[in-house]
């Protein structure tokens, strides 16, 4: 992601987030470290979301974390109110979910191994959705199998790609190559299981638009209506419905439709769900750790990126 013009304009972000908030209800008295966030309903089980930071998601100018406090962002601030409450360029995403009282968030720290079924605290079996925001280290064979088994058995997988040659840690692997490798060599189903592949492109700038589908739960979800996104040095996806008839393009690059030029895609595998985005620019909230060059794509008025990220998270989590 090499970008663009910083904007302070909020795309009615407050309204979008408010659309996903529920009425506060009384909660049990917290323990010494328990947050005092709002609960969706008395006794409700929160949707458990794990954000990955094990694959160099903070390499270079990237800062794709919800908080520097890992695994638990609540250790930084137990009652976050804005993206500045937590440190990370994805903090707006995390805070928006946290404020609903319906989500429990964790981060898989650097140096960790992605696992499924091991009994470890941060094992994927303990989560509903796994977010992988622009991975820059190739998944190991066991990690690829773990991810695929997680989805196959009902988990939600949120992948964010970037443009070709976006190798931030210079190890020979960028996010398009890493995601394509996951889809073709995973030990569970190597035959295009999700019905899409990542295009090896670097599209400098565009404002992709959403398809007209009033019934789609990602385009019309609890956090608002999605009209489009921004693309600032990113890529697209080629859809292959013959491999998976459930694959669906929701947002398309200007001038494209059907099976080419899809910028945001959803699919299923087994009993699980998948979403993939073609650029990390839309999830960047412009805040983060000192020394990084970041831009506010989350609130860019050229897209409805906050609603798209949050609605997709809700859909993947089966919220």
């Amino acid at each position: 992601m090499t970008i663009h013009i910083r904007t302070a304009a909020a795309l009615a972000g407050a309204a979008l987030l408010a659309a996903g908030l529920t009425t506060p209800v009384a909660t049990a008295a917290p323990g010494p470290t328990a947050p005092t966030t709002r609960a969706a309903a008395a006794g409700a089980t929160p949707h458990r979301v794990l954000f990955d930071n094990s694959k160099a998601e903070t390499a270079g100018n990237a800062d794709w974390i919800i908080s520097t406090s890992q695994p638990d962002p609540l250790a930084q601030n137990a009652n976050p109110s804005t993206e500045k409450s937590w440190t990370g360029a994805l903090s707006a995403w995390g805070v928006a979910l946290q404020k609903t009282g319906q989500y429990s968030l964790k981060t898989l720290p650097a140096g960790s191994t992605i696992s499924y079924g091991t009994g470890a605290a941060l094992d994927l079996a303990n989560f509903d959705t796994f977010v992988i925001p622009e991975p820059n280290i190739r998944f190991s064979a066991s990690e690829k199998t773990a991810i695929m088994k997680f989805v196959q058995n009902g988990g939600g997988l949120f992948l964010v790609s970037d443009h070709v040659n976006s190798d931030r840690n210079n190890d020979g692997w960028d996010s398009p190559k890493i995601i394509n490798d996951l889809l073709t060599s995973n030990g569970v189903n190597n035959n295009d299981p999700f019905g899409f592949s990542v295009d090896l492109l670097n599209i400098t700038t565009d404002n992709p638009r959403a398809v007209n589908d009033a019934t789609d739960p990602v385009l019309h979800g609890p956090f608002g209506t999605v009209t489009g996104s921004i693309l600032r040095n990113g890529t697209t996806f080629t859809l292959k419905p013959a491999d998976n008839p459930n694959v669906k393009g929701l947002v398309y690059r200007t001038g494209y439709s059907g099976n080419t030029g899809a910028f945001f895609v959803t699919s299923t595998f087994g009993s699980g769900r998948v979403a993939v985005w073609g650029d990390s620019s839309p999830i960047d909230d412009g805040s983060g750790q000192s020394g990084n060059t970041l831009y506010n794509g989350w609130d860019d008025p050229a897209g409805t990126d906050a609603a798209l990220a949050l609605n997709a998270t809700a859909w993947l989590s089966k919220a």
Side-chain angles (χ1 to χ4, degrees):
M1 179 188 69
T2 40
I3 25 186
H4 20 291
I5 299 173
R6 180 187 295 269
T7 174
L11 52 85
L16 289 175
L17 298 183
L21 299 181
T22 55
T23 303
V25 300
T27 58
T33 60
T36 55
T37 52
R38 289 169 287 179
T45 301
H47 306 292
R48 304 160 300 172
V49 182
L50 180 66
F51 285 80
D52 186 57
N53 186 33
S54 72
K55 296 295 173 277
E57 280 92 348
T58 60
N61 273 323
D63 199 48
W64 312 143
I65 55 174
I66 59 172
S67 171
T68 51
S69 176
Q70 299 173 12
D72 189 358
L74 297 179
Q76 180 175 13
N77 188 324
N79 293 283
S81 57
T82 73
E83 66 270 14
K84 296 297 181 67
S85 299
W86 293 346
T87 304
L90 303 190
S91 58
W93 188 348
V95 169
L97 294 173
Q98 181 66 33
K99 287 171 66 177
T100 69
Q102 299 175 13
Y103 293 85
S104 172
L105 311 178
K106 294 292 188 293
T107 296
L108 187 65
S112 302
T113 298
I114 299 167
S115 66
Y116 181 69
T118 65
L122 296 178
D123 187 277
L124 293 180
N126 297 320
F127 296 90
D128 302 303
T129 294
F130 187 33
V131 181
I132 309 178
E134 196 192 334
N136 265 268
I137 297 174
R138 185 188 184 191
F139 303 115
S140 69
S142 65
E143 289 178 320
K144 288 185 282 188
T145 298
I147 293 168
M148 297 302 294
K149 287 288 189 182
F150 166 69
V151 179
Q152 189 176 48
N153 292 333
L157 177 64
F158 201 147
L159 297 164
V160 180
S161 183
D162 206 52
H163 59 86
V164 68
N165 297 325
S166 56
D167 179 8
R168 298 180 188 271
N169 61 342
N170 301 309
D171 69 345
W173 287 85
D174 58 21
S175 53
K177 187 183 294 186
I178 290 168
I179 294 172
N180 280 338
D181 178 65
L182 170 67
L183 302 181
T184 57
S185 177
N186 56 62
V188 177
N189 183 325
N190 301 326
N191 298 312
D192 187 31
F194 302 156
F196 65 78
S197 61
V198 186
D199 300 328
L200 302 183
L201 300 174
N202 184 355
I203 303 162
T204 304
T205 187
D206 191 28
N207 295 317
R209 297 296 91 189
V211 300
N212 184 15
D213 186 343
T215 65
D216 186 86
V218 173
L219 297 180
H220 303 275
F223 294 92
T225 297
V226 174
T227 58
S229 184
I230 65 166
L231 196 168
R232 308 289 186 264
N233 291 101
T235 190
T236 53
F237 308 97
T238 296
L239 308 189
K240 304 172 184 178
D243 295 339
N244 186 329
N246 294 319
V247 70
K248 184 177 181 181
L250 299 186
V251 179
Y252 281 84
R253 180 184 179 187
T254 302
Y256 289 79
S257 62
N259 294 334
T260 60
F263 183 58
F264 194 99
V265 175
T266 59
S267 189
T268 63
F269 177 63
S271 57
R273 298 173 175 179
V274 180
V276 64
W277 213 335
D279 190 7
S280 54
S281 302
I283 60 174
D284 185 348
D285 65 20
S287 72
Q289 299 178 82
S290 176
N292 291 322
T293 303
L294 301 166
Y295 301 89
N296 190 351
W298 183 261
D299 291 323
D300 194 311
T304 46
D305 300 314
L308 183 51
L310 297 167
N311 284 347
T313 308
W315 177 74
L316 291 168
S317 302
K318 301 178 181 176

